Amino acid sequence: MDRRIRGAALACVLLVTGVATGCATEPPAESRRPTAPSRSVAPTGSPTGSPGGEAGARAGVEAAYAKWGLEPLAAAPAPPDAKPVGLPAAAGPVPVISEIPTQEKIVFLTFDDGAEKDPEFLTMMRELKIPFTMFLTDSAISADYGYFGRLQALGDGVQNHTLTHPNLRTLGAAAQKREICGQQTKLKDRYGTAPRLFRPPYGNWNEDTRAAAASCGIEAIVLWRESMQIKNMQYQRGDKQLHPGDIVLAHFRGPSELKGTTMTEMTANMLRHIQEQGFTVARLEDYL
């Protein structure tokens, strides 16, 4: 694993960021949003024109979840006609968000960095059709850009998490701009589209970060409300519960960082927490 990311994972435990522990180890505006492929959670039953077809679709979903030892998530609601988070006008400040305003019992999954490239995770996401957003660091993904391209082909968003995963608050404005704009260029060249969203490593940012992000074409800085560890979630709120619209942080990490647990097993644990609290998963880019 890249020494920068290994060091970042350790530093993440030590840094106090004002948010839950975790790191990425965040014309009219509407006309600037590119059209992206939509991917929804597989429904527990979808209309097919006949009761038999509907039952077959439901059985297929249940079998896919059962393979991974999970109960099916509910179908995600249709995305809103108007996105509930207003993005800035050309000269406006870049918003910094940790949740999406909604009354629906939905959360949004995000995976950071890119050090782990578990083939089983790719299979799981293909079979379960769980939407999520990737915030990628070039120094972590450069050994296998193709792995993340295969996830993108499933409909999962590719977004910016800097070139080398520094603590941006320790850098000047010019250095922050190089980290963010440099990764914009890398990701556009590799995956075909410049990211609209940015997550600062460790959740650390300042006003220089916002200015740099805006100059690089970023439309929102995305933080989080919960972070997934190995078996349990860390919550920012005192009630230790998910809330509608929460953004959940997880990482592309493997057994060496998860005490022998695979990324796929960690993800299954996360989905159990979501299902047990009566939530389902929606696609962040459909709301932002």
Side-chain angles (χ1 to χ4, degrees):
M1 180 184 299
D2 189 285
R3 288 183 178 178
R4 295 177 186 270
I5 297 302
R6 184 180 298 279
L10 176 59
C12 186
V13 178
L14 302 176
L15 284 168
V16 177
T17 66
V19 293
T21 300
C23 66
T25 49
E26 179 166 262
E30 184 66 30
S31 68
R32 293 186 281 113
R33 294 171 176 154
T35 302
S38 181
R39 170 174 154 180
S40 300
V41 175
T44 54
S46 55
T48 61
S50 70
E54 188 173 315
R58 183 165 56 249
V61 170
E62 290 173 354
Y65 274 85
K67 171 183 173 179
W68 299 100
L70 298 167
E71 294 292 327
L73 295 174
D81 292 332
K83 295 184 179 182
V85 176
L87 297 179
V94 172
V96 181
I97 66 166
S98 300
E99 70 275 332
I100 299 294
T102 180
Q103 299 301 311
E104 303 277 3
K105 292 196 74 174
I106 55 175
V107 295
F108 303 92
L109 301 188
T110 62
F111 289 85
D112 283 11
D113 300 343
E116 179 68 8
K117 302 155 185 75
D118 182 355
E120 284 294 294
F121 177 76
L122 178 60
T123 300
M124 173 190 260
M125 294 298 102
R126 181 186 297 118
E127 293 178 355
L128 298 185
K129 300 178 174 61
I130 303 292
F132 65 90
T133 299
M134 299 175 276
F135 288 90
L136 300 178
T137 296
D138 189 67
S139 60
I141 69 174
S142 58
D144 189 355
Y145 288 117
Y147 177 84
F148 303 95
R150 290 188 287 276
L151 288 169
Q152 182 194 36
L154 298 178
D156 300 306
V158 172
Q159 306 295 347
N160 189 328
H161 195 44
T162 71
L163 284 170
T164 66
H165 204 276
N167 176 2
L168 292 175
R169 286 207 300 247
T170 68
L171 302 182
Q176 290 199 42
K177 185 174 180 178
R178 285 194 296 271
E179 283 284 340
I180 300 170
C181 289
Q183 184 65 339
Q184 287 289 94
T185 299
K186 290 267 191 179
L187 293 175
K188 182 178 180 181
D189 289 347
R190 289 287 175 178
Y191 302 112
T193 304
R196 297 187 302 110
L197 310 178
F198 172 67
R199 174 169 286 157
Y202 317 108
N204 285 353
W205 63 278
N206 56 25
E207 289 304 315
D208 284 342
T209 313
R210 294 179 85 174
S215 71
C216 299
I218 295 295
E219 296 180 10
I221 293 174
V222 179
L223 303 180
W224 61 88
R225 280 297 185 186
E226 290 81 30
S227 61
M228 185 64 198
Q229 304 305 305
I230 299 173
K231 293 183 179 179
N232 298 306
M233 284 187 178
Q234 289 186 346
Y235 298 87
Q236 293 180 14
R237 300 184 184 91
D239 63 4
K240 308 294 185 184
Q241 295 290 320
L242 296 171
H243 290 245
D246 279 359
I247 297 169
V248 181
L249 165 68
H251 292 86
F252 287 96
R253 289 179 177 164
S256 64
E257 294 178 290
L258 299 177
K259 299 181 179 179
T261 301
T262 68
M263 181 179 175
T264 302
E265 291 167 336
M266 178 271 292
T267 301
N269 291 334
M270 178 169 59
L271 294 174
R272 289 187 188 99
H273 283 288
I274 293 168
Q275 193 272 340
E276 288 166 359
Q277 293 186 50
F279 282 77
T280 193
V281 179
R283 184 177 183 273
L284 181 63
E285 288 85 348
D286 288 339
Y287 288 74
L288 176 59

